Amino acid sequence: LLYTIKFESMVMDINENNELQPLQCEGMTELNRNVFDLNVPCRAIQIPSQNCSEVMKKLKHGIKKFSQLQHKPKMVLPDEGGGSKKIILIDDNQNISDLGDYKELKVDIMLTYKNWSASQILRAILPSSTCDTDIVSSFEIIGHIAHLNLKDCHSKYKHIIGQVILDKNPSLKTVVNKVNSIHAKFRYFDMEVLAGEDNLITTAIEHKIKFEMDFSKVYWNSRLSNEHKRVADSIPPGSVVLDMFCGIGPFALPLAKKHCYVHANDLNPESFKYLERNIKLNKISSEYIKAYNKDGRDFLINFAEQMDYIIMNLPASASEFLDVFKGLYLDRKCDFKSPIVYCYHFASIEDPVKLSTRAISEILDCPITPEEVHLVRKTSPNVWMTCIKFIIPSSVLFCENDNKRLKLDNSPAT
C-alpha cells in the first residue's frame, strides 16, 4: 500500500468549515483517480416533468448547489421509473411544503475525481505537515505551460502535483518546476517537466502582443505584466528608449508599437533570437525598434545618440551597471539632455524605498531624488522588487563632481 486512506466516512466527508471534501489519502505519489469517488446522500423531490419549470422558479435559492466543486453534478435528474417524472436535488434547509404536494426522496449522488478542484485533490494527498496548496493558485501560466516553484517538502509529490494541475486545467499541456536559481549570466532557470508534453517552446500573449519563446532558455515572468504596461504607458510616443536588459521584449515591443524609438539589448543570444522573431511576429516596423546582442555596459557606452529613457530591468544587479553613467557625456560634442532611468532593485522589506534609493546614490557617488518610486511586487516574505524612476544628474554624466563623493544619508532604515 503506497498511501493511507482515512475512513472517517465512507459516504461523505465534511471538513470543519462545513465544506464537502474528498477522503484523505495522504502519501499518494502515483495518482489513483478512483480513490476520489465519493457517495453523497442528498434530499430530493419527485415531480411531474411538466411541473419542472414552475418548481424551479419556486426553489430559487433552495436548489442543491455543490458550490465548492469545480464541476457540479446535474441538479435535475430523470426518474428511474420513466420519462414522466423528474428528480430535483434540494438544499437541506428547503421546506418542501413551500413547493407543493411532492414526494421527498433520498438520492445518492456519486462524485468522482472530475468533480473536485485541484486544491481539494492536493489537500487530500499532501501530508498535513507540508500541505501548501497555495501552489495551485499561485503557479504561473505561459502559453500551454504551467510553471511551479515547489519547495523541498513537495519533491516526493512533484509528479502527482503536476498531473493534478494538468488534469484540472484543460488548456495546459505541460507542467514544469524550477530546479535551481536563475542563471547568473543569461537569466533563465533550469526546468524539469513534471507532467505532460516535453515541449517548452510556447507563445504568451500580453496586452495583445504575442511573445514566442523557449521558456527553458529565456527569462519570462507573467507576474510582471502590469509593470510592463505601467512603464510603457508612462513613456510618450516619439521618445528614444534604451532597454538595456530587454529579454524577449516585454517593455520594448509595446513601446515600439506606440511609436517610441526603441533600442533593445540583451546579452542572452536566445533572448536576442526570440526578440527579433517577436518583432516580425507582431509586424513592428524596424523604424521603431532595433535589436542588439551585447553586454549592457558596452551597449550603453557605445550608444552615441540622444537617450530620453533608459530601462534597467535587472533587479539583482542593475544598480551595478550605474557607474557607466559617470562621465558618459564628457567627450560628446552634442548637448545631450539627461535621460530618465527606470532602475529595478531588490530591497529589504524594512524600508525598500530608502534602501533602493541609497544603493543607487552610492554607486553614482551622488544623491538622487527619485521622480517616482514604485513597489512592483514582493519576491519573498522579506524582499520587495522596486522601480526607482530618476533623472541622471548632469554632475554624474559630465563628472562635474570630480568623482568627489557627496555625503549620503547613512541613518538606519526605519
Side-chain angles (χ1 to χ4, degrees):
L1 188 66
L2 299 178
Y3 49 88
T4 301
I5 301 177
K6 296 184 177 179
F7 293 98
E8 281 88 352
S9 170
M10 283 298 294
V11 178
M12 187 167 59
D13 201 1
I14 304 292
N15 67 12
E16 59 185 12
N17 296 319
N18 202 35
E19 295 176 343
L20 195 64
Q21 63 182 12
L23 296 173
Q24 293 294 305
C25 46
E26 289 188 3
M28 179 185 290
T29 55
E30 185 174 337
L31 187 58
N32 180 354
R33 295 173 180 84
N34 294 330
V35 168
F36 299 97
D37 291 352
L38 187 67
N39 198 34
V40 181
C42 298
R43 289 180 73 208
I45 54 173
Q46 183 187 60
I47 64 170
S49 295
Q50 65 267 25
N51 294 358
C52 191
S53 296
E54 175 190 346
V55 173
M56 291 296 286
K57 288 179 182 178
K58 288 182 179 180
L59 272 171
K60 293 183 179 178
H61 303 295
I63 197 166
K64 185 75 173 178
K65 292 187 172 60
F66 291 104
S67 57
Q68 64 270 47
L69 297 180
Q70 181 172 352
H71 293 283
K72 300 169 181 55
K74 292 181 179 180
M75 299 297 102
V76 180
L77 308 171
D79 184 21
E80 293 181 358
S84 63
K85 301 283 187 180
K86 295 287 185 183
I87 304 294
I88 300 179
L89 304 183
I90 61 174
D91 187 79
D92 291 342
N93 297 319
Q94 175 64 47
N95 190 339
I96 294 182
S97 62
D98 294 341
L99 304 176
D101 187 18
Y102 297 119
K103 180 181 179 182
E104 180 174 355
L105 306 173
K106 289 292 183 182
V107 177
D108 289 337
I109 299 297
M110 177 60 71
L111 301 181
T112 68
Y113 176 82
K114 179 181 177 181
N115 296 110
W116 306 108
S117 69
S119 179
Q120 290 167 324
I121 295 292
L122 292 177
R123 274 201 300 266
I125 292 172
L126 297 177
S128 55
S129 59
T130 61
C131 189
D132 180 6
T133 54
D134 285 345
I135 56 174
V136 177
S137 58
S138 64
F139 64 83
E140 180 185 10
I141 295 178
I142 311 94
H144 68 270
I145 300 170
H147 172 215
L148 305 183
N149 188 9
L150 298 180
K151 300 176 181 177
D152 290 342
C153 59
H154 295 126
S155 60
K156 182 179 177 181
Y157 309 97
K158 61 185 180 182
H159 292 293
I160 200 170
I161 291 171
Q163 188 59 55
V164 170
I165 289 174
L166 198 64
D167 288 345
K168 298 300 177 178
N169 295 273
S171 64
L172 299 177
K173 296 181 180 179
T174 305
V175 181
V176 300
N177 181 42
K178 181 179 73 175
V179 296
N180 62 4
S181 57
I182 194 166
H183 190 282
K185 186 175 182 181
F186 290 144
R187 292 202 306 161
Y188 63 82
F189 299 98
D190 288 333
M191 304 284 178
E192 61 174 340
V193 175
L194 301 182
E197 301 174 5
D198 188 3
N199 174 21
L200 298 183
I201 296 176
T202 189
T203 300
I205 300 176
E206 185 173 279
H207 306 301
K208 299 181 180 180
I209 298 177
K210 294 180 180 179
F211 295 92
E212 186 178 327
M213 71 192 87
D214 182 337
F215 187 54
S216 66
K217 295 180 180 178
V218 304
Y219 179 80
W220 178 266
N221 190 337
S222 299
R223 295 184 178 94
L224 296 177
S225 173
N226 290 337
E227 179 64 8
H228 300 151
K229 186 176 188 303
R230 182 188 75 86
V231 172
D233 287 349
S234 71
I235 297 176
S239 302
V240 177
V241 183
L242 271 66
D243 192 350
M244 288 179 63
F245 317 107
C246 69
I248 63 172
F251 288 110
L253 268 60
L255 284 166
K257 280 186 76 73
K258 65 184 285 188
H259 291 181
C260 291
Y261 298 96
V262 182
H263 298 267
N265 174 72
D266 202 278
L267 181 62
N268 183 346
E270 288 292 319
S271 294
F272 174 71
K273 179 179 81 174
Y274 282 103
L275 172 64
E276 291 196 309
R277 189 172 297 179
N278 291 327
I279 291 170
K280 293 178 181 178
L281 180 65
N282 291 279
K283 299 179 181 179
I284 300 176
S285 170
S286 59
E287 177 184 358
Y288 296 108
I289 188 165
K290 291 180 171 57
Y292 305 80
N293 181 211
K294 298 181 178 181
D295 173 77
R297 188 179 299 275
D298 294 339
F299 169 63
L300 187 59
I301 289 173
N302 292 301
F303 190 81
E305 302 173 29
Q306 168 66 51
M307 320 172 230
D308 298 320
Y309 295 88
I310 301 172
I311 299 172
M312 304 179 69
N313 181 25
L314 192 67
S317 56
S319 58
E320 297 173 11
F321 287 79
L322 288 169
D323 65 308
V324 76
F325 289 108
K326 295 179 183 178
L328 185 64
Y329 285 1
L330 186 62
D331 298 324
R332 299 191 181 184
K333 297 178 182 179
C334 298
D335 186 19
F336 290 157
K337 66 178 182 179
S338 297
I340 296 173
V341 176
Y342 293 84
C343 185
Y344 289 84
H345 192 262
F346 289 137
S348 168
I349 198 172
E350 299 170 7
D351 192 341
V353 174
K354 186 173 184 177
L355 293 172
S356 296
T357 303
R358 179 191 294 170
I360 293 171
S361 299
E362 287 179 346
I363 292 173
L364 292 175
D365 284 324
C366 178
I368 63 162
T369 302
E371 284 195 351
E372 180 185 17
V373 178
H374 182 65
L375 297 178
V376 180
R377 60 185 290 261
K378 274 188 177 180
T379 58
S380 72
N382 298 313
V383 176
W384 270 102
M385 178 182 177
T386 63
C387 178
I388 311 296
K389 179 183 177 183
F390 67 99
I391 299 175
I392 296 284
S394 58
S395 59
V396 173
L397 293 168
F398 293 95
C399 284
E400 290 180 358
N401 64 354
D402 195 27
N403 290 324
K404 182 177 180 181
R405 187 180 187 84
L406 301 183
K407 184 177 181 181
L408 303 174
D409 176 15
N410 288 316
S411 58
T414 57

